[in-house]
Amino acid sequence: MVWSRWQRSRKRPASNDESSSVTVSSSLSPPRPASSRKIFPSGIKLLHNGEDSAVDIIFIHGVTGDREKTWKTKSATNPWPQTLLPSRVPHARILTFGYDAYVADWRGMVSKNRIGNHSMNLLTAVATYREDDGTNDRPIIFVCHSLGGLVCEDALSMAQQRPERHLKKILYCTYGIIFLGTPHHGSGLAHWAESLAKAIGVLKQTNKEILAALKSDSEVLERVQHAFHTMIRSRGQDGFPPIEITCFFEELPLPGVGTVVPSHSATLPGYVPIGIHSNHMDMTKFENVDEPGFFAVTGELRRWYREISACASNPITGIGQQGPVVNQQDPQYVVPYASNPDFVGRFSIMQRLSDIFGPNHDLKRTTNHVRVALHGLGGIGKTQIAIEYAYWAHKAYPNMSIYWVHASNPKRFLQSVLKIAQECKIPGHDDPKADKSALVKDWLEGNNCPSWLLILDNADDYEMFFSPLKDEHDIPDSNSLGTDSRLGRYIPECAHGSILVTTRNKQAAVKLTRNRHLIEVEQMTSTEASQLVINKLEDAGLDHNQVALLTSRLENLPLALAQATAFIRENTISVEQYLQQLTSSDSHLTELLSQPFEETGRDSEIPNAVISTWILSFEQIRKQCSLASEMLSLMSYFDRQQIPKAFLPYRNNTVVDDSNDSHQSEASADLEQEKALGVLKAFSFIVTGADEKTFNIHRLVQLAMQKWLIVKKVENLWAENALLILSKLYPYGRHETRRVCNEYLPHAYAVLRYKIPLSGNMAVARASLLHCMSGLMSIQGQWKNGEELLVEARDLQKKELGVEHRATLASMHNLAMTYSNQGRWVEAEDLGVQVIDITKRVLGEEHPDTLTSINNLATIYLNQGRWDEAEELGAQVLEIKKRVLGAEHPTTLASMHNLASTYLRQGQWGKAEELGVQTTKRVLGAEHPDTLISMNSLAFTLKEQGRDKEAMLLMGKCYQLRKKVLGPQHLYTLNSLENLNNWRM
């Protein structure tokens, strides 16, 4: 290690006089335009130069801040770093850096500098200042508020990348950073700044790029954070000590704004978080040395200064290095994977792991044994997070041992435990008769063992931990286990040990952690996913739009992205070429995601391909709960979103009978169904919808399941089951059922897409579904779509059921009306007459189906202007329906409406008004489409009678109701609007 840079360097003469301040501007900074705006205090200013200074403490303000006013109370003449800090850290040179960070300045033009410009200004200003007086080897501590923290992070990342030696030295000499309310994960400050700008009427002058950096998931923020954490990791790998970091967060809201930077945003994973009892703007201002905030901040500065001084007097030890381990046993690091250089993001999860584990890692002995589980979909990145945390913890807590255990099956578990015994030379490890697992457990729980972290990776099968092993071939040798073959008894538990579990199965996570500290790993953010692709392909010049399309298509799933980039590199193709293959069809996508590849941090015995790794989970689910496997098989053929619970089977698809114990059977079936759904949710294959009555399945999981069913040669079986369920549950489309029909429609289309052999029951089921869907198309005015559905339904029914079957006749009848609604009168009449002839012969002249067909033929005549024929048929049908069905039956009312329309066309206004709308409204309801049809006709009647005002009011009401019930673009709604507009002219 290079420790000479911590030696004290030549100093400037001590001075506290403000006249000695020196402002250094970067040579790379753009010249300021001349304006009437005040000169913003920028660059470096000396606040205090202690006698025999050994460290530079540099303060950096935040948004709308000032290099002096940020650190000064209203009553103070000078900032506290100048007046109060020297008494706490006397041998320090105290500097402050200023830059134009006004988000919105109502006094003049706003700086167009971005964070990157400010960062470079800081870097060059500090380097030049220190080079000028030969103090460029002196340690540096930064104290940053708000945006200033991002500027500091970016500056240090730049220093690593720059070729200039004097700039690199800033990074090498940085010992520690104090962050005060820095928005590491976005900030509400941007919203406050925008509100402020609007209030003063200068929104057009807002520096939008600075604001964007303060919003969650901002690309600028992600870039700064990723580069900073990459720099931190590589710094350790280059042999330099870690940078000390302490994060302070505000505990009080800003009046009128609230909490600007919440604690989760103000802290970095793995570093100490401390609260300051103040709001965001006042957390940088201290009146006296007794204030808790001042004491906490300067306490960190004094501690770091003492460490720097100790290093300077004893350079062999090195800054921040630990003394010899007190325990009788040396710490061990048994992790089978190298650090992943492509790891990106996951800051919040790393922070949670640090927060939960930190106290146990940090102390030699605690009173608590801590277990944490990372659970989530296979390929979501759980193992990679565990590896990253293991390497971070190894550096942060060098006295702690870390052990890795493969837990995908009993054999792998026992092999990993045996390796720990051998690597650590545990007494008895070479005894062929010893129970190695028991030896390791006892050794880890022993008082002489240093604190440890045990990582149980891929612990998906909880039964192998809590139930006796059944498969003897999974046990390496007869002495691997004692008389009790439950592996859970070998998991150590003691106050100085912690356990991190990774699992696809939330149920396993609950059992292994005793339902404590469960962390769900979800998909990456779009920015994280894009950065992963760029890292994997080692090409920062990639087309960001193409990368975004790739990550979106692969649902930001880390393993899928790793597999895609491996394929791209191995085959020397572009992202665009890969996308063309990926988007050509689902089968292409499935094939691409089945390709094997090599990936850092993957268990060699677990397949890397996305499809293959999920198939392992499918097998586990089938073994654990056959009903869950059936459900997932069915769900793979529905639309992936909002799958109703009603579609999913009970045990063996049994139907509850009406026997005395039916209630008990139904309760038992409900319980079985809930358990099965719980298994699927535990593996993250499905999630509950917002209404808690539906479920969503991951798109790629759905494709993988279909692939698995094809391999098992049962794909047609489940496609047929899905079709049968939809044909049974999908209601015929009418006003009363339209909500359910619309909810089920995506699933109906999804089921119909699969090509299965159509004969017998399957053909009839498909025809029934098509017919019911056509009803929805009709009431929505989508008659062309309805026609396509009805033509296929009719042809299937003719073939399987015959032309005289009621289902076939219903489809023919509705098809005739669809032709009529499209103005195809000849086709409508020919088919309508054909249907009437058959129904009269098969069902009888007064059967309701026959009467409905005659009534609709009358409508076809009416639309052709054949009013006398329409009147004759209409009056005939109406009289029969009144006698057979009753005067208020819905189909009687429909005939009444049609006859009223005929009278209207003939100019028989009195008869038309007499039939009216009141009965229809009373029976069907004021908003029923048939009521609205009658209302529309009555408005015409009133108009023809010269009662214009009444006609206008009624047509206006009809239009509003049709817009509400049918939608603004429905043909009937548009017709009412057109009539209304014409009458107003």
Side-chain angles (χ1 to χ4, degrees):
M1 294 187 180
V2 181
W3 304 115
S4 61
R5 60 193 176 85
W6 300 115
Q7 302 301 315
R8 296 179 182 176
S9 305
R10 182 165 58 89
K11 304 95 182 166
R12 290 179 182 268
S15 172
N16 288 327
D17 191 345
E18 284 194 20
S19 63
S20 66
S21 73
V22 179
T23 299
V24 180
S25 297
S26 167
S27 60
L28 301 180
S29 300
R32 290 184 178 274
S35 72
S36 59
R37 185 177 184 269
K38 75 179 186 70
I39 302 300
F40 197 93
S42 62
I44 297 289
K45 179 173 182 178
L46 175 67
L47 295 181
H48 173 80
N49 196 359
E51 182 179 354
D52 200 24
S53 295
V55 62
D56 282 343
I57 302 177
I58 303 174
F59 287 79
I60 308 173
H61 64 78
V63 173
T64 71
D66 178 278
R67 67 182 182 185
E68 293 183 78
K69 293 178 182 178
T70 292
W71 316 103
K72 186 169 61 175
T73 62
K74 292 182 179 179
S75 61
T77 304
N78 295 312
W80 65 264
Q82 182 178 4
T83 59
L84 303 180
L85 183 58
S87 65
R88 297 281 290 171
V89 190
H91 301 293
R93 178 169 62 180
I94 302 171
L95 307 169
T96 183
F97 174 75
Y99 60 101
D100 190 347
Y102 264 76
V103 176
D105 186 349
W106 53 93
R107 292 164 294 189
M109 293 296 293
V110 174
S111 168
K112 298 300 185 291
N113 277 357
R114 296 175 296 116
I115 286 179
N117 299 126
H118 297 322
S119 304
M120 181 54 73
N121 290 347
L122 169 65
L123 183 62
T124 55
V126 173
T128 303
Y129 192 93
R130 287 158 56 89
E131 282 283 321
D132 187 50
D133 68 350
T135 57
N136 52 359
D137 285 326
R138 180 182 288 174
I140 302 172
I141 296 174
F142 290 101
V143 181
C144 315
H145 178 233
S146 190
L147 175 67
L150 301 181
V151 171
C152 178
E153 288 180 351
D154 205 29
L156 294 178
S157 300
M158 287 181 178
Q160 183 185 42
Q161 303 298 325
R162 299 294 300 186
E164 298 91 342
R165 189 170 181 274
H166 73 293
L167 298 182
K168 282 186 177 293
K169 270 198 170 185
I170 300 302
L171 172 60
Y172 298 153
C173 291
T174 298
Y175 181 80
I177 307 172
I178 286 179
F179 292 110
L180 299 165
T182 292
H184 298 292
H185 310 292
S187 170
L189 184 58
H191 303 295
W192 167 68
E194 288 176 318
S195 299
L196 176 63
K198 289 178 182 178
I200 58 178
V202 293
L203 184 60
K204 62 183 179 181
Q205 296 182 355
T206 298
N207 190 327
K208 294 180 180 178
E209 294 189 49
I210 296 295
L211 287 178
L214 296 170
K215 294 181 180 178
S216 294
D217 296 327
S218 159
E219 290 186 9
V220 178
L221 178 59
E222 292 284 356
R223 176 186 65 77
V224 171
Q225 288 294 302
H226 174 69
F228 181 68
H229 283 272
T230 301
M231 179 274 294
I232 291 291
R233 287 198 299 270
S234 63
R235 176 185 169 97
Q237 294 165 359
D238 293 341
F240 293 103
I243 294 176
E244 297 286 340
I245 293 176
T246 301
C247 301
F248 288 86
F249 59 89
E250 64 214 58
E251 293 183 340
L252 298 181
L254 192 65
V257 177
T259 301
V260 175
V261 182
S263 59
H264 69 81
S265 177
T267 54
L268 283 170
Y271 296 102
V272 178
I274 302 175
I276 292 182
H277 195 66
S278 187
N279 63 43
H280 186 75
M281 304 306 290
D282 292 337
M283 68 187 303
T284 62
K285 298 171 172 59
F286 305 125
E287 190 78 42
N288 56 66
V289 296
D290 296 325
E291 291 189 30
F294 175 82
F295 189 81
V297 172
T298 57
E300 293 297 287
L301 294 175
R302 281 170 60 82
R303 178 169 64 85
W304 294 348
Y305 173 75
R306 285 194 297 268
E307 291 175 356
I308 292 171
S309 299
C311 172
S313 61
N314 183 16
I316 296 176
T317 304
I319 293 176
Q321 299 302 296
Q322 303 292 327
V325 179
V326 177
N327 302 72
Q328 295 178 15
Q329 298 164 3
D330 292 330
Q332 303 289 329
Y333 188 72
V334 186
V335 176
Y337 305 118
S339 177
N340 186 354
D342 297 325
F343 185 85
V344 297
R346 306 299 198 177
F347 300 126
S348 60
I349 295 178
M350 293 291 287
Q351 178 68 61
R352 285 192 66 188
L353 289 174
S354 175
D355 290 344
I356 297 169
F357 279 135
N360 267 39
H361 293 344
D362 203 26
L363 302 176
K364 294 178 181 178
R365 287 291 184 273
T366 66
T367 58
N368 297 317
H369 171 72
V370 178
R371 295 186 182 187
V372 180
L374 299 174
H375 67 92
L377 186 65
I380 204 70
K382 303 177 295 295
T383 296
Q384 296 299 329
I385 294 171
I387 294 171
E388 183 71 8
Y389 183 76
Y391 273 87
W392 173 84
H394 184 49
K395 293 186 179 73
Y397 306 101
N399 287 338
M400 180 179 68
S401 296
I402 302 177
Y403 306 101
W404 194 282
V405 174
H406 298 288
S408 56
N409 58 58
K411 185 176 180 179
R412 293 287 281 153
F413 177 88
L414 295 169
Q415 287 174 341
S416 298
V417 172
L418 178 60
K419 182 177 180 180
I420 294 174
Q422 294 169 341
E423 290 275 341
C424 300
K425 296 181 173 54
I426 296 173
H429 75 276
D430 52 357
D431 182 352
K433 295 183 179 181
D435 183 347
K436 311 299 191 306
S437 301
L439 287 177
V440 171
K441 178 178 184 291
D442 293 342
W443 181 77
L444 288 173
E445 292 177 344
N447 290 330
N448 291 334
C449 186
S451 63
W452 50 262
L453 170 68
L454 180 69
I455 299 172
L456 284 175
D457 188 34
N458 289 313
D460 304 330
D461 184 3
Y462 63 80
E463 289 186 353
M464 84 178 204
F465 292 101
F466 303 105
S467 301
L469 297 181
K470 299 176 183 178
D471 299 326
E472 293 184 0
H473 66 274
D474 280 336
I475 305 175
D477 62 74
S478 59
N479 294 316
S480 296
L481 301 174
T483 56
D484 187 349
S485 63
R486 291 176 297 117
L487 296 182
R489 71 189 185 96
Y490 292 122
I491 299 176
E493 182 170 1
C494 58
H496 59 274
S498 306
I499 294 176
L500 175 60
V501 178
T502 75
T503 178
R504 309 172 191 193
N505 186 351
K506 186 179 180 181
Q507 292 179 343
V510 168
K511 288 183 179 290
L512 288 168
T513 64
R514 304 184 181 99
N515 201 24
R516 294 290 304 278
H517 304 309
L518 304 180
I519 301 176
E520 183 175 7
V521 181
E522 298 179 329
Q523 67 183 35
M524 288 179 143
T525 65
S526 299
T527 305
E528 287 174 337
S530 296
Q531 189 62 53
L532 178 62
V533 171
I534 293 170
N535 288 359
K536 290 283 186 184
L537 296 179
E538 297 180 339
D539 186 357
L542 288 170
D543 185 329
H544 286 276
N545 291 330
Q546 294 293 324
V547 171
L549 283 173
L550 176 63
T551 58
S552 174
R553 182 65 176 167
L554 295 180
E555 310 258 343
N556 294 345
L557 186 72
L559 185 60
L561 295 172
Q563 187 171 0
T565 52
F567 188 91
I568 290 170
R569 297 191 69 171
E570 288 171 10
N571 295 278
T572 319
I573 61 174
S574 66
V575 172
E576 184 177 7
Q577 289 172 312
Y578 185 85
L579 274 170
Q580 289 172 355
Q581 296 188 46
L582 196 66
T583 57
S584 59
S585 68
D586 284 346
S587 60
H588 272 80
L589 190 155
T590 305
E591 187 62 32
L592 285 170
L593 295 183
S594 301
Q595 299 296 313
F597 72 105
E598 296 300 319
E599 170 68 352
T600 303
R602 293 284 295 179
D603 188 344
S604 59
E605 295 197 9
I606 293 180
N608 283 338
V610 174
I611 300 296
S612 301
T613 196
W614 285 340
I615 284 177
L616 287 180
S617 296
F618 299 156
E619 295 286 3
Q620 175 65 35
I621 289 172
R622 186 164 63 92
K623 172 184 172 184
Q624 182 176 333
C625 178
S626 60
L627 182 58
S629 180
E630 292 178 10
M631 285 182 175
L632 194 60
S633 300
L634 262 179
M635 294 172 99
S636 68
Y637 287 96
F638 298 133
D639 186 80
R640 72 183 189 89
Q641 293 184 319
Q642 295 184 308
I643 301 172
K645 190 176 181 180
F647 287 7
L648 305 179
Y650 292 96
R651 172 65 65 191
N652 298 325
N653 291 317
T654 56
V655 179
V656 179
D657 59 26
D658 294 326
S659 60
N660 293 333
D661 62 345
S662 63
H663 293 296
Q664 182 178 355
S665 299
E666 184 175 359
S668 176
D670 284 340
L671 181 60
E672 288 296 311
Q673 189 184 50
E674 288 299 331
K675 285 182 177 180
L677 288 168
V679 171
L680 297 181
K681 287 185 280 188
F683 277 84
S684 299
F685 283 153
I686 67 170
V687 294
T688 305
D691 58 1
E692 298 186 351
K693 296 179 181 179
T694 60
F695 303 94
N696 301 330
I697 181 173
H698 195 288
R699 184 176 67 92
L700 299 182
V701 169
Q702 194 176 47
L703 294 177
M705 189 65 187
Q706 291 172 15
K707 171 85 171 179
W708 186 56
L709 295 175
I710 291 172
V711 171
K712 296 289 183 182
K713 298 182 179 180
V714 292
E715 71 276 15
N716 282 348
L717 170 65
W718 291 106
E720 289 171 358
N721 281 337
L723 175 57
L724 288 172
I725 288 172
L726 256 298
S727 66
K728 179 181 179 181
L729 297 180
Y730 198 102
Y732 183 77
R734 51 174 57 92
H735 175 70
E736 296 82 1
T737 63
R738 60 180 181 155
R739 181 185 61 82
V740 175
C741 286
N742 275 310
E743 289 174 358
Y744 290 2
L745 188 63
H747 305 294
Y749 277 125
V751 165
L752 293 174
R753 279 199 301 269
Y754 298 105
K755 305 302 180 184
I756 56 176
L758 288 178
S759 61
N761 290 341
M762 287 303 107
V764 173
R766 183 181 178 90
S768 173
L769 179 58
L770 291 166
H771 178 257
C772 292
M773 292 166 63
S774 73
L776 178 65
M777 300 299 109
S778 178
I779 64 173
Q780 292 180 342
Q782 301 176 32
W783 293 305
K784 186 62 181 176
N785 293 340
E787 177 191 345
E788 293 173 358
L789 297 172
L790 284 168
V791 167
E792 184 181 352
R794 178 200 60 186
D795 293 345
L796 287 170
Q797 289 163 335
K798 275 187 176 182
K799 179 180 177 182
E800 298 296 333
L801 303 174
V803 72
E804 294 185 351
H805 194 279
R806 283 189 66 184
T808 309
L809 292 171
S811 293
M812 293 170 64
H813 163 79
N814 289 338
L815 182 59
M817 292 310 300
T818 299
Y819 289 150
S820 177
N821 287 327
Q822 296 178 76
R824 294 156 60 180
W825 315 121
V826 175
E827 294 169 272
E829 182 179 352
D830 289 346
L831 189 55
V833 170
Q834 181 184 351
V835 170
I836 290 172
D837 289 343
I838 297 174
T839 53
K840 280 183 176 180
R841 183 175 72 255
V842 175
L843 302 176
E845 292 193 0
E846 293 190 353
H847 191 278
D849 289 359
T850 305
L851 298 177
T852 298
S853 298
I854 295 173
N855 183 73
N856 289 338
L857 181 60
T859 301
I860 293 171
Y861 289 158
L862 175 64
N863 289 331
Q864 295 179 77
R866 296 158 62 179
W867 297 330
D868 292 341
E869 295 169 89
E871 181 184 358
E872 182 181 351
L873 281 180
Q876 174 188 342
V877 168
L878 180 59
E879 289 305 315
I880 298 175
K881 282 187 175 182
K882 282 182 178 180
R883 175 166 48 82
V884 175
L885 301 175
E888 295 188 355
H889 191 277
T891 60
T892 305
L893 298 179
S895 296
M896 193 180 296
H897 158 74
N898 289 343
L899 186 57
S901 296
T902 303
Y903 291 150
L904 178 65
R905 301 287 180 87
Q906 293 174 318
Q908 300 184 55
W909 319 123
K911 289 184 177 181
E913 184 177 5
E914 184 181 342
L915 288 176
V917 73
Q918 293 304 319
T919 304
T920 306
K921 180 177 179 180
R922 177 166 54 81
V923 175
L924 300 180
E927 295 184 357
H928 193 282
D930 288 353
T931 303
L932 301 183
I933 291 174
S934 296
M935 186 182 297
N936 187 80
S937 298
L938 181 57
F940 268 101
T941 301
L942 296 173
K943 178 68 174 173
E944 294 296 335
Q945 291 177 326
R947 297 156 65 179
D948 291 357
K949 186 175 180 180
E950 295 174 77
M952 288 277 288
L953 287 173
L954 192 58
M955 184 61 75
K957 184 177 181 181
C958 180
Y959 165 68
Q960 292 298 332
L961 288 173
R962 278 181 164 175
K963 186 167 69 170
K964 174 185 175 183
V965 175
L966 304 178
Q969 298 304 314
H970 194 283
L971 181 61
Y972 288 172
T973 307
L974 296 175
N975 284 343
S976 293
L977 178 61
E978 183 181 6
N979 293 332
L980 193 60
N981 290 334
N982 289 338
W983 292 355
R984 286 170 177 165
M985 295 175 64

XYZ file of all heavy atoms in Angstrom, residues 108-139:
245
model
N -31.747 36.860 -11.292
C -31.030 36.955 -12.557
C -31.021 35.638 -13.288
O -31.815 34.751 -13.034
N -30.094 35.499 -14.226
C -30.010 34.293 -15.029
C -29.575 33.109 -14.164
O -28.881 33.268 -13.179
C -28.991 34.485 -16.170
C -29.411 35.504 -17.199
S -30.910 35.001 -18.074
C -30.264 33.588 -18.958
N -29.991 31.921 -14.572
C -29.636 30.708 -13.845
C -28.482 30.014 -14.544
O -28.438 29.926 -15.757
C -30.854 29.758 -13.790
C -30.462 28.424 -13.176
C -31.959 30.396 -12.977
N -27.539 29.494 -13.731
C -26.392 28.786 -14.295
C -26.854 27.573 -15.075
O -27.736 26.857 -14.650
C -25.454 28.335 -13.176
O -24.503 27.429 -13.673
N -26.268 27.337 -16.209
C -26.592 26.166 -17.011
C -25.641 25.007 -16.701
O -25.647 24.000 -17.378
C -26.530 26.504 -18.514
C -27.531 27.561 -18.940
C -28.954 27.116 -18.665
C -29.961 28.084 -19.191
N -29.981 29.333 -18.484
N -24.784 25.178 -15.694
C -23.869 24.094 -15.325
C -24.641 22.854 -14.905
O -25.615 22.922 -14.197
C -22.965 24.524 -14.161
C -21.767 25.308 -14.627
O -21.574 25.489 -15.811
N -20.961 25.756 -13.688
N -24.140 21.720 -15.335
C -24.674 20.457 -14.889
C -23.837 19.946 -13.729
O -22.805 20.511 -13.396
C -24.662 19.454 -16.042
C -25.559 19.855 -17.193
C -25.412 18.894 -18.369
N -24.060 18.941 -18.916
C -23.218 17.930 -18.901
N -23.565 16.792 -18.338
N -22.023 18.032 -19.432
N -24.260 18.833 -13.107
C -23.495 18.262 -12.005
C -22.072 17.965 -12.449
O -21.105 18.204 -11.717
C -24.185 16.983 -11.485
C -25.438 17.365 -10.684
C -23.258 16.159 -10.593
C -26.210 16.198 -10.155
N -21.920 17.436 -13.658
C -20.575 17.120 -14.158
C -19.668 18.330 -14.223
O -18.469 18.241 -13.932
N -20.215 19.484 -14.598
C -19.399 20.713 -14.650
C -18.963 21.123 -13.253
O -17.803 21.465 -13.022
C -20.196 21.847 -15.296
C -20.598 21.539 -16.726
O -21.769 21.612 -17.059
N -19.650 21.188 -17.576
N -19.900 21.083 -12.310
C -19.563 21.443 -10.938
C -18.516 20.495 -10.369
O -17.608 20.918 -9.631
C -20.816 21.409 -10.056
C -21.865 22.412 -10.448
N -21.562 23.682 -10.882
C -23.225 22.325 -10.446
C -22.683 24.337 -11.145
N -23.714 23.528 -10.882
N -18.641 19.215 -10.705
C -17.698 18.222 -10.205
C -16.292 18.491 -10.721
O -15.314 18.428 -9.966
C -18.149 16.814 -10.630
O -19.456 16.561 -10.196
N -16.184 18.775 -11.996
C -14.864 19.072 -12.550
C -14.307 20.365 -11.977
O -13.101 20.478 -11.708
C -14.955 19.151 -14.085
C -13.605 19.424 -14.760
S -12.306 18.256 -14.306
C -12.848 16.807 -15.214
N -15.157 21.352 -11.762
C -14.708 22.598 -11.138
C -14.142 22.338 -9.740
O -13.098 22.866 -9.359
C -15.867 23.596 -11.034
C -16.277 24.136 -12.397
O -15.567 23.960 -13.385
N -17.433 24.774 -12.457
N -14.862 21.503 -8.966
C -14.379 21.158 -7.628
C -13.036 20.438 -7.703
O -12.093 20.783 -6.972
C -15.412 20.260 -6.927
C -14.953 19.587 -5.623
C -14.677 20.641 -4.547
C -15.997 18.583 -5.128
N -12.946 19.449 -8.560
C -11.730 18.647 -8.664
C -10.517 19.496 -9.023
O -9.468 19.436 -8.374
C -11.947 17.536 -9.708
C -10.811 16.544 -9.908
C -10.531 15.780 -8.634
C -11.158 15.584 -11.051
N -10.664 20.320 -10.038
C -9.520 21.130 -10.483
C -9.207 22.241 -9.494
O -8.031 22.580 -9.294
C -9.799 21.718 -11.878
O -11.027 22.442 -11.839
C -9.903 20.626 -12.926
N -10.246 22.797 -8.853
C -9.997 23.863 -7.894
C -9.209 23.355 -6.690
O -8.242 23.978 -6.246
C -11.326 24.478 -7.437
N -9.615 22.204 -6.148
C -8.911 21.638 -4.989
C -7.498 21.231 -5.370
O -6.527 21.501 -4.642
C -9.692 20.439 -4.427
C -8.893 19.734 -3.335
C -11.042 20.883 -3.880
N -7.349 20.566 -6.522
C -6.022 20.115 -6.948
C -5.082 21.298 -7.157
O -3.922 21.275 -6.733
C -6.149 19.289 -8.231
N -5.558 22.348 -7.815
C -4.713 23.514 -8.079
C -4.329 24.219 -6.783
O -3.177 24.633 -6.594
C -5.459 24.494 -9.010
O -5.829 23.811 -10.211
C -4.592 25.688 -9.354
N -5.287 24.346 -5.881
C -5.023 25.001 -4.594
C -3.934 24.265 -3.821
O -3.013 24.869 -3.247
C -6.327 25.034 -3.781
C -6.286 25.921 -2.554
C -6.708 27.243 -2.631
C -5.834 25.442 -1.338
C -6.671 28.066 -1.506
C -5.795 26.247 -0.213
C -6.221 27.567 -0.296
O -6.181 28.375 0.819
N -3.989 22.943 -3.804
C -3.033 22.142 -3.044
C -1.681 22.048 -3.762
O -0.630 22.013 -3.122
C -3.619 20.750 -2.795
C -4.734 20.760 -1.761
C -5.659 19.557 -1.889
N -4.981 18.294 -1.819
C -4.736 17.607 -0.691
N -5.142 18.098 0.482
N -4.126 16.442 -0.721
N -1.715 21.999 -5.087
C -0.454 21.997 -5.836
C 0.306 23.300 -5.642
O 1.530 23.326 -5.566
C -0.758 21.794 -7.335
C -1.076 20.362 -7.729
C 0.162 19.502 -7.810
O 1.199 19.983 -8.287
O 0.087 18.326 -7.382
N -0.420 24.379 -5.504
C 0.195 25.700 -5.436
C 1.084 25.861 -4.207
O 2.092 26.563 -4.246
C -0.915 26.765 -5.424
C -0.349 28.168 -5.513
O 0.474 28.406 -6.417
O -0.737 29.003 -4.683
N 0.714 25.218 -3.079
C 1.533 25.376 -1.883
C 2.166 24.062 -1.424
O 2.619 23.929 -0.287
C 0.711 25.985 -0.734
C -0.361 25.048 -0.221
O -0.605 24.003 -0.869
O -0.967 25.344 0.817
N 2.170 23.056 -2.313
C 2.874 21.821 -2.011
C 2.212 20.966 -0.948
O 2.882 20.166 -0.283
N 0.892 21.082 -0.776
C 0.188 20.254 0.226
C -0.632 19.168 -0.454
O -1.630 18.689 0.088
C -0.742 21.133 1.077
O -1.667 21.813 0.206
C 0.040 22.136 1.900
N -0.207 18.754 -1.643
C -1.023 17.834 -2.425
C -0.958 16.389 -1.952
O -1.591 15.525 -2.536
C -0.671 17.917 -3.916
C 0.815 17.771 -4.156
O 1.600 17.630 -3.213
N 1.226 17.818 -5.413
N -0.159 16.078 -0.901
C -0.167 14.738 -0.319
C -0.943 14.682 0.988
O -0.966 13.652 1.660
C 1.278 14.273 -0.054
C 1.985 13.888 -1.344
O 1.300 13.369 -2.242
O 3.203 14.121 -1.448
N -1.559 15.780 1.339
C -2.259 15.855 2.621
C -3.609 15.157 2.533
O -4.325 15.285 1.541
C -2.456 17.330 2.990
C -3.177 17.548 4.310
C -3.361 19.028 4.568
N -2.095 19.683 4.902
C -1.952 21.003 5.060
N -2.999 21.800 4.903
N -0.782 21.516 5.356
N -3.993 14.407 3.590
C -5.313 13.770 3.592
C -6.441 14.802 3.491
O -6.305 15.931 3.960
C -5.357 13.046 4.943
C -3.930 12.872 5.333
C -3.202 14.065 4.784
